[in-house]
Amino acid sequence: VNANADDLAIAIDLGGTQIRAALIDRQGVIHIRCAEPTRATAGPETVIGQIAALAAKAREGFDAKRIIGAGVSSPGPIDTMRGVALAIPTLMGFNDFPLRARLEGRLGMTVALENDGISAALGEWRHGAGKGISNLVYVTVSTGIGGGVILGNRVLRGRQGMAGHVGHMSFMQDGETCACGNRGCFEAYASATAFTRRAIMRAAADPATRLGKTSEPIDAAAVFEAARQGDGLAKALVQEEAQYLGQGFASLLHLFNPDVLIMGGGLSNQFDDLQGDIVASLQSSAMPAFRNTPIRRAALGENSGLHGAASLIFEGA
Ligand SMILES: [Zn+2]
């Protein structure tokens, strides 16, 4: 590869609710960033059209010769070895769909495809909270739970490029039903969706809490705010959430023995309020030798996936 300091990559972060596009250079500087809501039920042709339009917008006014490829982060499961979307739950019609080939045809350039958890892990590793670290586990806690693993300075991909679906560690035969169809998954207990569901259920049965007693809807941010104001139920809910996260994180420490575990996703906005109880939970669920592993908040916010997608082009990852 002829690395040129002027090189640029188009980065696409395809999500169930938003498609983000950016033009990023080798140093990780974002030159242009744009986004629009995903037409998730309109089928692959429409979504690919949206991606092409955003990519065109991102590269507008830049010398085409500087743009050496497009990295695309997509919800899984995607077989990145073959470039095929197997069955994306949040996007209609992406079943056994040849996503990479179709994007290359449409964008007219090399396309590198990555599962979103791995892409965000790559972004944090190259430019964020995991910079310079050889072994890390990245966990995104949002609507669902996803992740990616870097071990010995290499990305863990597995047979089909689908390693790191950490939300679907299942530990309860008759547990909560998960979006994946299984029961008792980590995601079914510790995702923001599960947290909010618990909050709504318990608030209805608790006359003392202020949650649900105003016109304000019960969402994750509202529960954390109420906890900060001293609301008893909200405090218990936050502590319980941290307990679940700590339990899942402990399993990941046992499996991968990382230098650091990085938490990203929407719920990481509340990291300061969760950290203490996550660490306390780790103290009881991790084996003693693993307990001092630092748990850190992701540094790139909504841009982790975009940075990871661009790094696929620059680093070949
Ligand atoms: Zn699951």
Side-chain angles (χ1 to χ4, degrees):
V1 182
N2 297 316
N4 189 323
D6 287 341
D7 289 344
L8 295 166
I10 291 175
I12 305 287
D13 186 354
L14 169 61
T17 54
Q18 252 203 340
I19 306 174
R20 304 184 177 104
L23 195 67
I24 302 182
D25 67 23
R26 260 179 206 286
Q27 290 70 44
V29 175
I30 297 181
H31 292 266
I32 303 284
R33 189 186 186 282
C34 44
E36 65 181 52
T38 312
R39 298 179 59 190
T41 58
E45 294 312 323
T46 301
V47 172
I48 283 182
Q50 285 190 286
I51 292 173
L54 282 168
K57 207 169 166 184
R59 67 194 287 184
E60 207 176 84
F62 286 84
D63 181 0
K65 287 196 290 291
R66 292 178 62 190
I67 301 166
I68 61 170
V72 178
S73 161
S74 165
I78 285 206
D79 183 334
T80 53
M81 302 301 159
R82 296 190 298 130
V84 173
L86 299 179
I88 305 178
T90 48
L91 297 173
M92 204 176 277
F94 283 74
N95 303 311
D96 292 316
F97 183 79
L99 184 57
R100 183 167 57 213
R102 298 302 300 278
L103 282 170
E104 284 187 336
R106 194 68 191 259
L107 300 178
M109 64 178 74
T110 305
V111 169
L113 200 58
E114 192 65 89
N115 278 283
D116 53 7
I118 295 179
S119 199
L122 271 171
E124 289 293 332
W125 182 38
R126 297 295 188 198
H127 298 289
K131 207 170 170 177
I133 288 168
S134 303
N135 309 286
L136 69 86
V137 173
Y138 170 83
V139 183
T140 177
V141 184
S142 198
T143 313
I145 292 183
V149 179
I150 314 288
L151 276 188
N153 288 309
R154 296 193 53 171
V155 186
L156 216 61
R157 286 208 172 81
R159 180 165 65 93
Q160 298 152 287
M162 308 194 305
H165 276 73
V166 300
H168 305 289
M169 302 186 285
S170 167
F171 33 61
M172 288 244 245
Q173 200 172 13
D174 299 312
E176 297 279 351
T177 303
C178 182
C180 75
N182 197 1
R183 305 192 76 147
C185 293
F186 179 34
E187 170 174 312
Y189 288 86
S191 67
T193 310
F195 172 67
T196 308
R197 190 180 53 227
R198 274 195 301 276
I200 291 169
M201 242 173 51
R202 303 248 182 96
D206 185 339
T209 184
R210 51 174 268 189
L211 288 171
K213 306 292 190 291
T214 63
S215 57
E216 204 187 342
I218 302 179
D219 56 17
V223 180
F224 279 90
E225 181 53 34
R228 282 191 288 269
Q229 310 274 328
D231 187 278
L233 175 68
K235 277 162 69 179
L237 285 162
V238 167
Q239 197 175 7
E240 189 181 11
E241 173 65 18
Q243 176 81 34
Y244 284 131
L245 287 172
Q247 266 179 268
F249 292 173
S251 291
L252 293 171
L253 302 186
H254 293 153
L255 281 169
F256 300 112
N257 192 203
D259 299 309
V260 60
L261 186 146
I262 298 170
M263 175 176 161
L267 217 58
S268 70
N269 292 330
Q270 315 291 346
F271 186 74
D272 291 345
D273 291 348
L274 286 164
Q275 188 179 23
D277 288 329
I278 288 175
V279 169
S281 170
L282 275 177
Q283 297 311 305
S284 63
S285 36
M287 287 190 276
F290 293 84
R291 287 177 193 165
N292 62 355
T293 314
I295 312 294
R296 214 179 269 176
R297 179 188 173 168
L300 302 174
E302 290 189 328
N303 293 333
S304 315
L306 286 171
H307 280 290
S311 83
L312 296 169
I313 298 300
F314 294 132
E315 317 281 345

